Amino acid sequence: MLEQLKQWDRELFVYLNGLGIETYDNFWITVTTIQNWIPLYITFFIIYFLAFHWKKALFTSLFILATALSTYGFTNIVKNFFLRLRPNNQPEIADIIRILQTPDNYSFFSGHSAVSMAAALFLILSLKEKYPWIWAVLIWPLMFMLSRIYVGVHYPGDVLVGAAVGIIFAIIFFFLYQRSGKRFI
């Protein structure tokens, strides 16, 4: 059963990756590069300081940071346990896929998907009362997930599991934030 799921995941990846158009390569490389999102990360923190008094803004900022770092740490533990090669490192499909990046670490599951989804959902949960439009932030992790397939470094299953892990971490940390925030703020 697991081998069948891997085969379907590989076939879906080859299909989706093959839909790429060379004209858009630079756009997707820009999207998938974490450093290009630094202005968005700074905006998240600014939004907290606009929405809350400084003490709560700082407390909430520390929690979103803890959410992202914990998700990242967990992702690396899992990657080093499963040791699934990235599509760009798979000899049997390397000649038929579009490879725009060539990381050599492991694939399962996507850290980009997990961390971006965790941070985005935590941000949404903590600000939805103040800013109903905050749900638009989900565009960020969705673009990240698509970019990972487009550039040839993650299977669809990697990004979906990553998103699910991010959601779980966001919910856990938001629960902890609510519980501890009542004591400190």
Side-chain angles (χ1 to χ4, degrees):
M1 177 66 170
L2 183 59
E3 284 306 313
Q4 181 63 54
L5 287 175
K6 285 182 180 179
Q7 181 63 31
W8 289 339
D9 199 23
R10 192 171 19 259
E11 289 170 5
L12 182 58
F13 168 78
V14 169
Y15 173 75
L16 293 173
N17 176 265
L19 295 175
I21 300 170
E22 195 173 325
T23 307
Y24 299 111
D25 288 356
N26 286 335
F27 170 78
W28 287 107
I29 289 170
T30 301
V31 167
T32 206
T33 304
I34 293 171
Q35 296 84 347
N36 294 332
W37 292 94
I38 290 173
L40 181 67
Y41 309 148
I42 293 168
T43 302
F44 289 170
F45 293 110
I46 291 170
I47 290 172
Y48 279 141
F49 283 91
L50 293 173
F52 306 128
H53 60 81
W54 74 270
K55 193 175 176 184
K56 184 173 181 178
L58 186 60
F59 182 73
T60 309
S61 295
L62 291 174
F63 253 91
I64 196 171
L65 207 56
T67 304
L69 291 174
S70 297
T71 307
Y72 177 75
F74 181 73
T75 300
N76 286 320
I77 290 168
V78 172
K79 280 184 180 191
N80 289 318
F81 177 78
F82 283 100
L83 304 175
R84 183 180 192 191
L85 291 177
R86 291 179 181 270
N88 62 289
N89 295 324
Q90 290 284 358
E92 65 270 9
I93 62 171
D95 293 338
I96 60 171
I97 63 172
R98 303 178 78 248
I99 300 173
L100 303 180
Q101 287 187 331
T102 56
D104 57 0
N105 60 348
Y106 297 106
S107 182
F108 184 79
F109 52 86
S110 168
H112 280 71
S113 299
V115 175
S116 64
M117 184 60 79
L121 187 56
F122 186 92
L123 183 80
I124 289 166
L125 293 172
S126 59
L127 291 172
K128 66 182 180 176
E129 308 300 323
K130 294 238 179 213
Y131 305 116
W133 54 264
I134 200 70
W135 289 93
V137 169
L138 285 176
I139 293 169
W140 168 50
L142 293 174
M143 286 186 65
F144 245 179
M145 288 186 264
L146 290 173
S147 75
R148 303 311 283 165
I149 296 169
Y150 189 95
V151 301
V153 297
H154 277 296
Y155 296 101
D158 296 341
V159 297
L160 292 175
V161 170
V165 168
I167 290 168
I168 292 166
F169 269 78
I171 290 169
I172 290 169
F173 274 83
F174 185 71
F175 173 77
L176 295 171
Y177 162 78
Q178 287 182 309
R179 300 254 324 178
S180 58
K182 290 178 182 172
R183 277 187 242 139
F184 298 114
I185 297 181

